[in-house]
Amino acid sequence: MSDIASAPQAEDELSRRTERLEKLTAQYGNPFDVTKFDKTHSALSIKEKFASLAAGEKTTQVVRVAGRVMAIRNNGMFVDILDDSDRLQVFHDLKNTEPTRIELLKLLDFGDIIGVEGTVRRTPRGEITVDAVKLSVLAKALEQPPEKFHGLKDIEARFRHREQDLVATPRTRETLRARYKMVAAMRQFLYDRGFLEVETPMLHVIPGGALAKPFITHHNTLDMPLYLRIAPELHLKRLVIGGLSEKLFEINRCFRNEGISPRHNPEFSTLELYQAYVDFTAMIEITESVIFHVAKILHGSGKVKFGDIELDFTPPWPRKGMVDLIREHTGVDFYAANNAAKAREQAKKIGIATEPGISWGQVVEVVFAEKIEDQLIQPTHVIDLPKEISPLAKAWPDRPHVAQRFETYVNGWEIANAFSELNDPREQRARFLEQAEQKRGPDDPPHPIDEDFIKALAFGMPPMGGLGIGIDRLGMLMTDSPSIREVIAFPTMRPVD
RNA sequence: GACCUCGUAGCUCAGCCGGUAGAGCAUCUGACUUUUAAUCAGGGGGUCGCGGGUUCAAAUCCCGCCGAGGUCACCA
């Protein structure tokens, strides 16, 4: 001990900690040789089990706990450890501890992983504490964690070094745990309803099921380009066509090579679900039920705080026609302006310039996005979307330019999209061709048609409803997170030089 | 891609009408010893994102680059 005290000060933290590791190894064995520690309790389970202890009351109950050293107070007399359940205080009575253990205690650093055996008591100040009788270092931290009080504030550092963020920021632990708990709850909900969870390709020959710029990669042996999927939709339908299951879903990643924003990450997760022999109204019911279920699991009710507002996910949610909403908010009736030219003219009247050559449906879509979208705060199903912007949805037989489709909006964001799936292969081909001709951005290549999918439809797809829910955005709503990056463990970042 | 803002010690931040860098936590030494962001005293630690320019002198002013956040654009 005295030799540590008199040793020349290490020029940096890394060498200081490395020296301690060497000393540890020499005197107590290399902590990195340790392969296991028989934990009997989590921090939280101890606090719960001994909740009734009075201040100053001791027990003889021996427990074994382990976690990361988060604070060392009073010369090592008090050490706080953090495990995945909670923080817990460990006590060493320095007057009555054998010298070898005191030496070991003095080699501890903020951030080390330790195991402790001891008895439980509540201190006179009321803290549940483990009086240590054995102490072992299970891993040495050669880098120090962020500062214990302010934690890691720098947003960039938080996302680049998420493990440090997790150690330093309780909110990060809560947010990510809630996100994964939400996903688990969604899965369980769907299992309970008899849905089969499936997996479909991430690597697509033709990126279909949506209109978005894909990531391109290359397969060496096949010597061909492959695309990271932008949506799983077409493959999932093919599984239903084949009769694998009449109710199936996939929760997995999609990739879109587009802008990054507080609501967009290049890779993001969706739930896509298909159920044969039902229409889009059944998808409305599932959307409301699964999200209400998640809200209850995470918050105990359908009411969820988000920023300054309280969202209420208690079903049923209002259903509003897209064109009707526009009429209510602007006075313009796009059912009256029933062709592209009239629609563009009406849009211009309310200050929205549109590209020449776009369809009636696209005008409606643009006006909706500009005038309505961000006002839909409480959960709302927007129904009756134009057929022209719904190439995979059935239109109403008696309203041929309106699709049997809805999008659910919360806090101004689209979080769900569903329709009665188009199952006529001839109609589907025509829609794809139409879509391929539609003007997009000047640099966008024409969208290729997935003939395998058309052919699959030709084998006969049952009428069915399909639903997509954006997991990340729902996660943001459920965790009061203003940025999508908060609910993604490792958001996409540009590397530092 | 455009615009605005930011980048100073391991972490959180101050300094920025130019004069050569500070605090708290962390760390080291000592004291104290039932603490709770422990306390007290004393140390060490910085290519002020990178590069260039102006100037006697640049963390500070100017330009470029890199990274980040935001707004917009983009976005089935």
Side-chain angles (χ1 to χ4, degrees):
Chain A
M1 192 235 132
S2 55
D3 52 343
I4 294 171
S6 61
Q9 185 176 347
E11 65 269 22
D12 59 40
E13 189 68 7
L14 176 62
S15 26
R16 188 188 69 76
R17 285 172 179 250
T18 304
E19 281 170 19
R20 284 196 171 178
L21 171 61
E22 284 162 3
K23 210 157 283 285
L24 262 176
T25 302
Q27 294 178 18
Y28 303 91
N30 184 347
F32 294 120
D33 287 343
V34 177
T35 54
K36 57 184 180 179
F37 181 82
D38 181 21
K39 247 182 119 161
T40 60
H41 292 76
S42 69
L44 183 62
S45 66
I46 287 174
K47 288 188 178 178
E48 286 172 347
K49 187 172 176 183
F50 296 94
S52 62
L53 282 184
E57 191 177 353
K58 299 187 176 191
T59 74
T60 54
Q61 173 82 48
V62 176
V63 297
R64 292 168 62 85
V65 294
R68 186 181 300 277
V69 173
M70 296 300 282
I72 302 173
R73 291 187 294 279
N74 291 47
N75 214 13
M77 182 177 286
F78 297 95
V79 174
D80 284 356
I81 63 170
L82 174 72
D83 70 10
D84 67 4
S85 68
D86 204 350
R87 270 174 89 125
L88 183 66
Q89 179 167 279
V90 171
F91 176 79
H92 278 88
D93 181 355
L94 298 181
K95 287 175 191 157
N96 296 300
T97 299
E98 62 273 28
T100 55
R101 184 141 55 91
I102 291 183
E103 302 246 335
L104 177 57
L105 198 53
K106 289 182 185 309
L107 290 173
L108 285 187
D109 282 309
F110 178 35
D112 292 350
I113 308 290
I114 62 171
V116 174
E117 181 177 315
T119 56
V120 181
R121 69 170 164 116
R122 189 184 291 278
T123 65
R125 306 239 179 159
E127 187 81 14
I128 291 289
T129 297
V130 173
D131 282 344
V133 293
K134 285 185 190 165
L135 169 69
S136 36
V137 179
L138 308 177
K140 184 71 189 169
L142 293 177
E143 298 276 355
Q144 65 173 335
E147 193 239 354
K148 63 184 179 184
F149 185 62
H150 295 94
L152 197 58
K153 287 276 176 56
D154 183 85
I155 295 174
E156 182 175 352
R158 287 187 49 233
F159 294 145
R160 284 194 195 281
H161 305 288
R162 199 58 127 158
E163 64 291 331
Q164 293 182 30
D165 184 30
L166 283 162
V167 168
T169 318
R171 174 75 187 267
T172 299
R173 300 195 289 269
E174 290 162 13
T175 297
L176 287 176
R177 282 174 188 151
R179 183 244 162 86
Y180 296 126
K181 194 171 173 182
M182 177 187 93
V183 173
M186 294 174 89
R187 284 203 160 93
Q188 192 59 53
F189 177 92
L190 294 168
Y191 296 157
D192 290 347
R193 284 203 176 191
F195 281 83
L196 178 70
E197 182 171 15
V198 302
E199 294 165 291
T200 59
M202 293 281 166
L203 296 174
H204 286 192
V205 175
I206 295 173
L211 276 185
K213 295 192 192 78
F215 287 93
I216 306 175
T217 185
H218 183 264
H219 191 281
N220 290 342
T221 306
L222 297 176
D223 189 22
M224 61 181 283
L226 284 170
Y227 301 87
L228 272 62
R229 74 180 190 188
I230 56 174
E233 173 146 355
L234 305 186
H235 288 94
L236 290 172
K237 285 179 181 171
R238 288 165 69 177
L239 292 179
V240 180
I241 290 169
L244 179 73
S245 175
E246 290 169 14
K247 299 161 87 170
L248 53 79
F249 74 97
E250 178 166 8
I251 291 179
N252 222 321
R253 219 65 59 79
C254 292
F255 306 86
R256 295 187 185 179
N257 202 343
E258 288 167 351
I260 293 179
S261 85
R263 281 167 296 286
H264 301 264
N265 195 62
E267 52 178 313
F268 60 100
S269 296
T270 61
L271 159 67
E272 279 220 11
L273 165 161
Y274 293 88
Q275 179 170 356
Y277 310 116
V278 300
D279 68 3
F280 77 98
T281 61
M283 299 299 106
I284 288 183
E285 189 278 324
I286 290 177
T287 301
E288 293 176 353
S289 297
V290 73
I291 293 177
F292 183 50
H293 175 69
V294 162
K296 278 189 295 188
I297 287 205
L298 293 180
H299 299 285
S301 81
K303 292 190 164 69
V304 176
K305 179 188 164 296
F306 187 84
D308 299 332
I309 56 180
E310 182 181 75
L311 301 168
D312 189 352
F313 292 100
T314 310
W317 308 342
R319 307 177 187 190
K320 303 270 195 170
M322 183 174 274
V323 171
D324 301 330
L325 276 169
I326 294 172
R327 193 195 318 110
E328 284 168 25
H329 282 80
T330 70
V332 172
D333 184 358
F334 281 96
Y335 284 141
N338 59 359
N339 64 41
K342 288 185 196 167
R344 289 192 60 216
E345 193 179 310
Q346 291 299 313
K348 197 173 176 182
K349 270 192 190 169
I350 50 175
I352 295 170
T354 49
E355 297 279 318
I358 73 171
S359 64
W360 173 83
Q362 287 174 304
V363 176
V364 172
E365 183 182 33
V366 169
V367 171
F368 174 80
E370 290 287 324
K371 296 284 185 185
I372 312 299
E373 207 171 83
D374 59 8
Q375 295 174 47
L376 301 176
I377 303 303
Q378 292 298 329
T380 305
H381 304 295
V382 176
I383 61 172
D384 291 345
L385 278 72
K387 182 186 92 169
E388 287 150 335
I389 58 166
S390 312
L392 293 157
K394 280 184 177 173
W396 290 102
D398 55 342
R399 289 189 291 163
H401 49 285
V402 179
Q404 299 182 46
R405 174 183 179 191
F406 71 91
E407 288 180 334
T408 304
Y409 284 82
V410 182
N411 194 43
W413 310 336
E414 179 198 337
I415 59 156
N417 177 25
F419 27 92
S420 300
E421 302 291 342
L422 180 60
N423 60 347
D424 178 342
R426 303 160 304 168
E427 171 74 5
Q428 185 67 77
R429 178 189 299 284
R431 299 274 196 97
F432 277 165
L433 283 170
E434 200 175 298
Q435 178 189 330
E437 286 164 16
Q438 273 176 7
K439 183 170 169 52
R440 299 193 61 222
D443 303 326
D444 295 332
H447 206 265
I449 292 178
D450 189 335
E451 291 293 343
D452 283 344
F453 173 64
I454 304 273
K455 185 165 186 176
L457 279 188
F459 279 94
M461 183 171 88
M464 65 179 180
L467 166 66
I469 293 180
I471 299 282
D472 307 282
R473 287 187 185 174
L474 186 59
M476 292 167 70
L477 294 171
M478 289 294 165
T479 59
D480 195 12
S481 296
S483 167
I484 197 169
R485 308 178 127 203
E486 297 291 346
V487 298
I488 294 173
F490 296 98
T492 306
M493 302 287 280
R494 201 188 285 267
V496 184
D497 273 352

